Amino acid sequence: MTLRGLGFDPLRPLGALLFLGLWQAASASMAPIMLPSPWSVVKRASADFWSAPSLAYYGVEDPSLFGNLVYTSENVAIAVLVGASLGALVGLAASRVWLVRALVNPIMLTAGTAPIIIAAPFLLIWFGVGRASAVSLVAFYVATILYLFAERAARNLDPIYEHSALTLGAGPRRLIRDILIPATVPELLGGFRIALAGAWGLEAVSELLGAQSGIGKVLEVLAGATDAQGILASLILLGVVALAADACAAALIARFAAWSAAGAQRL
Amino acid sequence: MTSQRMIEFVHVRREYRRADGAHVTAVDDVSLIVPEGEFVCLIGPSGCGKSTLLQLLAGLDAPTSGSIVLKAKEIEGPGPERGMVFQRDSVFPWMRVIDNVEYGLKCRGVRAPERRRIARDYLARVGLTHVEGAWPRELSGGMLKRVAIAAVFANGGEVLLLDEPFGALDYVTRRQLHDVLLALWDTPGATRRTVLFVTHDVDEALTLADRIVVMHSGRIADDIPIAAMRPRNDDTLATPEIIAIKHKLLAHLGLQTKGAHA
Ligand SMILES: Nc1ncnc2c1ncn2[C@@H]1O[C@H](COP(=O)(O)OP(=O)(O)O)[C@@H](O)[C@H]1O
Ligand SMILES: [Mg+2]
């Protein structure tokens, strides 16, 4: 198995190097307060990783980048797991049960087109500034995407598989467990990956709107202090975590969608 | 041979309402008795109701009126005693080949070692032992049909329904699969399963069938026993009686044949 076969794309590090080079060049011609150099940002990220005095000064609950990354990651993990399972299950149900589709489809189709962030003020009013409002916002966003993917995948599934399973002796439970779910898994995981990528940004933005912890809160505080270096350090750490999560999602796809053409490309 | 009746269609009718509101009678007052162990080919022009008749027998669709009786019990839905091979590929792409062949047995609660043994046996009989761990997407069209056939035979149904199963295959593969199918059907020491095989290919019907039922516009237009010896080959199918039947079948399909005096 080659590196490329493992999903390693040599253009990726090349692109990253190019980006770093441009950043370095731009920072050389700008004041550090406007655009700090990549190296200074890396140093800042490692210095503030376990303990960040500036955050303590501005009254962030957990004065370390690590602690706030954990807070944000936990929220994203909970939201993605809850939202994805709910969205996928309701989507599959809607594809087969007329009543579910009639009830849920209008909501989901609207939610799929409107910018979800408009729900944030209401969630803040209902749930306050704690975890609950950020988590429910992200969970709702993830559920919407998974719902749309699941419903479409199940609706497009060739009925021949259900017919074949029925003539082989499958009952309704087996139809769901052995046909409907595995048949739609590649598309569900594809939707999951897209939702996961979007979840990080949405979580950070919802923390910006009012939270006591999280990378979003850190960004809010540092923006108030016009600390470009600290902002970039936080964003880069968040980016690294998001990339790692995406790699896990890709590995999941390779493992559980090996039978389909989409999964085969990653093997 | 004691010929107990296996399948009985009693004045079966199936009407569809098209989107434009018009009524289409896909199956129109069909009555037919098929004895146990008989290999029946259903032949007829496209749109004459062959697939509909098979779907009704499979229990995937219900008649508008009339009834279908299997061993003195009226059919009410699909069941594993009636296996079906579809024209399009129906092998589950998300299960490995061996798991596909085992699936029916699994649904019926057969234990893992036992069902693996049965599945391996049938995979060997269709010549696919070497791909038992492969994904279906790695197989050719002909191999997928072998998997589908192994799956329904392994499941042990007494009735097998095949809807133009080899229609999309090339000539050579089709002839190989005729041999595979007949070998499974006519296994020494085992009771023959009752087969309804839909085709639009006259030669295929003559090679396979004990009896050819011709359909036209939803009705049974003819019902012809084929007495030729088995195993059949191009020579045994070249007798004057068989050739006369062939001309008759071609005429039913709307093909005028030169030199036909049948
Ligand atoms: N689900 C359906 N809705 C409406 N018309 C149908 C449906 N299924 C079959 N028909 C019609 O019934 C007739 C018989 O179809 P079918 O049984 O598929 O024929 P065959 O298999 O002999 O080609 C055709 O005229 C077809 O258009
Ligand atoms: Mg047909």
Side-chain angles (χ1 to χ4, degrees):
Chain A
M1 212 180 257
T2 60
L3 274 178
R4 190 187 276 276
L6 280 167
F8 178 82
D9 183 351
L11 285 177
R12 268 188 157 193
L14 206 71
L17 276 177
L18 189 70
F19 173 75
L20 277 177
L22 286 173
W23 178 1
Q24 177 67 45
S27 68
S29 60
M30 278 167 113
I33 185 112
M34 302 291 286
L35 185 64
S37 73
W39 179 238
S40 72
V41 168
V42 170
K43 276 199 296 191
R44 172 71 180 272
S46 80
D48 283 4
F49 195 72
W50 298 116
S51 150
S54 59
L55 295 181
Y57 176 79
Y58 292 116
V60 177
E61 237 169 51
D62 185 341
S64 75
L65 290 182
F66 174 76
N68 289 291
L69 264 180
V70 167
Y71 179 88
T72 298
S73 307
E74 278 171 2
N75 285 1
V76 166
I78 298 167
V80 162
L81 289 181
V82 172
S85 342
L86 270 180
L89 286 178
V90 177
L92 292 179
S95 75
R96 292 293 181 273
V97 186
W98 174 85
L99 188 63
V100 177
R101 182 164 59 247
L103 290 175
V104 187
N105 235 18
I107 305 172
M108 287 308 190
L109 290 178
T110 316
T113 50
I116 199 115
I117 199 71
I118 59 174
F122 296 98
L123 293 171
L124 284 175
I125 294 169
W126 298 332
F127 296 120
V129 293
R131 259 178 211 268
S133 57
V135 168
S136 47
L137 183 74
V138 177
F140 187 64
Y141 159 80
V142 173
T144 310
I145 292 184
L146 264 288
Y147 173 87
L148 295 173
F149 270 78
E151 203 266 337
R152 193 187 56 192
R155 197 156 27 83
N156 290 341
L157 179 64
D158 193 330
I160 200 167
Y161 298 123
E162 277 149 285
H163 289 165
S164 178
L166 282 169
T167 59
L168 286 168
R173 283 178 60 179
R174 281 210 172 268
L175 278 189
I176 295 171
R177 205 175 63 200
D178 300 337
I179 310 297
L180 203 52
I181 292 179
T184 52
V185 144
E187 273 145 291
L188 292 181
L189 287 176
F192 178 82
R193 202 172 168 195
I194 291 171
L196 180 66
W200 297 99
L202 191 63
E203 167 68 24
V205 169
S206 76
E207 286 168 4
L208 269 176
L209 292 178
Q212 296 313 305
S213 303
I215 290 296
K217 172 70 178 173
V218 170
L219 291 175
E220 188 217 334
V221 163
L222 295 175
T226 55
D227 180 352
Q229 193 187 52
I231 290 175
L232 282 169
S234 317
L235 284 178
I236 280 189
L237 286 176
L238 186 65
V240 168
V241 175
L243 278 180
D246 183 63
C248 294
L252 268 182
I253 293 177
R255 162 77 180 77
F256 287 104
W259 56 269
S260 77
Q265 283 167 7
R266 302 218 130 256
L267 274 183
Chain B
M1 196 187 282
T2 57
S3 43
Q4 208 190 340
R5 68 178 56 176
M6 181 61 112
I7 302 159
E8 187 173 3
F9 292 88
V10 189
H11 297 293
V12 172
R13 201 179 153 82
R14 178 66 169 104
E15 274 181 34
Y16 289 112
R17 225 170 94 190
R18 277 207 314 251
D20 61 8
H23 284 266
V24 186
T25 306
V27 172
D28 190 1
D29 194 27
V30 164
S31 293
L32 179 71
I33 292 173
V34 180
E36 185 175 352
E38 194 168 55
F39 199 126
V40 177
C41 277
L42 268 176
I43 198 166
S46 180
C48 71
K50 307 181 295 291
S51 294
T52 305
L53 200 65
L54 231 58
Q55 298 263 330
L56 292 170
L57 181 49
L60 295 170
D61 192 3
T64 310
S65 65
S67 60
I68 305 170
V69 180
L70 180 84
K71 280 187 145 181
K73 252 193 87 192
E74 195 170 330
I75 284 172
E76 276 164 358
E81 73 287 349
R82 282 158 289 140
M84 178 121 175
V85 177
F86 300 80
Q87 174 168 14
R88 289 184 299 125
D89 289 327
S90 61
V91 169
F92 307 128
W94 53 89
M95 291 182 199
R96 292 181 191 272
V97 166
I98 185 98
D99 296 320
N100 262 286
V101 179
E102 279 181 26
Y103 186 66
L105 299 165
K106 190 174 173 184
C107 287
R108 295 193 293 111
V110 177
R111 290 185 178 285
E114 173 70 357
R115 61 175 195 251
R116 178 113 326 183
R117 190 188 61 71
I118 296 172
R120 287 216 165 110
D121 177 34
Y122 279 97
L123 269 182
R125 293 213 235 166
V126 299
L128 286 185
T129 301
H130 59 297
V131 292
E132 71 164 51
W135 292 114
R137 71 173 155 78
E138 298 165 325
L139 272 52
S140 68
M143 290 162 104
L144 286 175
K145 281 292 174 254
R146 288 173 192 250
V147 176
I149 289 172
V152 295
F153 270 95
N155 203 23
E158 317 170 81
V159 175
L160 298 180
L161 312 172
L162 301 97
D163 190 357
E164 303 195 30
F166 310 143
L169 302 177
D170 65 87
Y171 179 73
V172 174
T173 309
R174 196 154 63 221
R175 296 215 26 179
Q176 289 167 342
L177 282 167
H178 291 157
D179 294 342
V180 167
L181 178 62
L182 286 175
L184 283 170
W185 175 68
D186 195 11
T187 307
T191 49
R192 287 177 173 179
R193 325 232 187 159
T194 312
V195 178
L196 256 77
F197 186 109
V198 169
T199 179
H200 55 248
D201 180 338
V202 169
D203 291 313
E204 182 166 67
L206 289 169
T207 306
L208 298 175
D210 290 325
R211 174 182 176 195
I212 298 178
V213 173
V214 183
M215 280 186 78
H216 203 284
S217 310
R219 292 172 167 271
I220 291 179
D222 210 340
D223 191 340
I224 309 166
I226 308 293
M229 297 282 286
R230 293 178 187 275
R232 297 174 187 165
N233 56 41
D234 294 326
D235 294 332
T236 57
L237 289 174
T239 63
E241 303 87 78
I242 297 289
I243 290 169
I245 292 172
K246 183 167 175 173
H247 286 305
K248 202 166 157 189
L249 291 172
L250 289 171
H252 273 304
L253 294 176
L255 299 169
Q256 294 303 318
T257 52
K258 289 192 201 113
H261 311 289

